[in-house]
Amino acid sequence: MSVPRFWRKIPQRYNLEGTHCEVCGRYFFPPRNLCPDCRRDGKIVAHTFKGTGKIVTYSVIRTASDQFSALTPYVLAIVELEEGARMTAQVVVENPEDVYIGMPVKSVFRRLGTDGESGVISYGTKFVPA
């Protein structure tokens, strides 16, 4: 990810900021400018998610690219936030075998990675068991 794009995305990455359509009630993460259901009739407003949800599905990554090989095994999951929006995120657990579908989770602020040995350190949202 380029440095300018990284900085533009900080509010949504750091604070779980998305959007909400006041007409149909749907929530979106990442943010959208247009509701796919209501189209032009929809009224999109900014929304900060609570950060709690449940695991809809997950995968245990045992073999990863060089950038993530030190983290293996780790869990990537689709998390349905309490408001209904879904997002893909890492679930941080001691034992990946403890993760299950429907598991309640909460968001935490963690290091995502680095861009090279002396590059930008990226931080963002991961999840832990609630």
Side-chain angles (χ1 to χ4, degrees), residues 96-113:
E97 305 305 321
D98 294 340
V99 175
Y100 58 91
I101 292 175
M103 178 181 194
V105 292
K106 64 179 180 177
S107 64
V108 292
F109 186 72
R110 298 278 170 91
R111 179 177 153 175
L112 298 177

Side-chain angles (χ1 to χ4, degrees), residues 8-87:
R8 279 194 311 271
K9 302 294 182 185
I10 281 179
Q12 75 185 46
R13 181 179 293 120
Y14 286 5
N15 301 318
L16 276 181
E17 289 183 3
T19 51
H20 170 66
C21 178
E22 291 186 333
V23 174
C24 69
R26 283 187 65 189
Y27 292 87
F28 305 102
F29 185 87
R32 291 182 176 232
N33 295 326
L34 181 72
C35 177
D37 294 332
C38 302
R39 305 277 182 196
R40 292 183 184 164
D41 294 332
K43 182 178 180 198
I44 297 290
V45 295
H47 177 77
T48 301
F49 291 95
K50 295 177 188 174
T52 57
K54 64 181 178 180
I55 294 176
V56 176
T57 189
Y58 69 95
S59 181
V60 178
I61 309 300
R62 298 186 189 284
T63 305
S65 63
D66 292 340
Q67 184 179 2
F68 300 104
S69 62
L71 301 174
T72 58
Y74 62 93
V75 178
L76 279 182
I78 295 179
V79 175
E80 184 175 276
L81 298 171
E82 193 173 306
E83 294 89 342
R86 292 183 176 187
M87 64 182 290

Side-chain angles (χ1 to χ4, degrees), residues 82-98:
E82 193 173 306
E83 294 89 342
R86 292 183 176 187
M87 64 182 290
T88 303
Q90 183 179 350
V91 179
V92 181
V93 290
E94 295 250 346
N95 182 4
E97 305 305 321
D98 294 340

